[in-house]
Amino acid sequence: MKTPSPHQTASHDYAHGRRDGLRLALSILAGEEAKWAALLGESSSWRTNAIREVRYKTLQVAQSRIHTVLNRMTPKTGVAIDPEIAARLEKAGL
């Protein structure tokens, strides 16, 4: 079995770190989205409700974009998606 070069190992570690960062971002966005979802329509001010709806939609779009990037970064070696990633995506509703 061939030992990977230091460059390959560093590159792999870097990609793994980026995926971890994206997973963290997804979990943070999921928490924020839940917070704003609970506040939708709760204010007596139409302006406040409109701002909350925009924030909520922005969080949904951000989650979708991060999910897309994460899918592009996940190795396509015929291996099923990492169970940890799958659980976090499921929790985030993606």
Side-chain angles (χ1 to χ4, degrees):
M1 183 173 198
K2 187 177 176 183
T3 304
S5 72
H7 176 69
Q8 289 172 330
T9 303
S11 177
H12 174 73
D13 290 344
Y14 177 76
H16 185 20
R18 287 184 68 192
R19 289 191 300 268
D20 285 346
L22 289 171
R23 282 187 225 115
L24 177 62
L26 272 176
S27 64
I28 290 169
L29 286 172
E32 285 295 309
E33 183 185 14
K35 178 180 87 173
W36 287 105
L39 296 173
L40 290 177
E42 291 293 316
S43 176
S44 58
S45 168
W46 68 270
R47 187 171 292 152
T48 300
N49 286 330
I51 291 169
R52 287 176 178 173
E53 287 178 27
V54 169
R55 286 181 181 163
Y56 180 72
K57 183 63 179 176
T58 302
L59 291 167
Q60 288 179 324
V61 170
Q63 280 184 336
S64 175
R65 289 181 179 174
I66 290 173
H67 185 273
T68 299
V69 171
L70 186 58
N71 282 340
R72 288 180 183 163
M73 291 179 62
T74 303
K76 306 283 189 275
T77 58
V79 178
I81 191 166
D82 182 5
E84 181 185 353
I85 295 174
R88 294 205 186 256
L89 293 176
E90 182 67 30
K91 184 177 180 182
L94 300 172

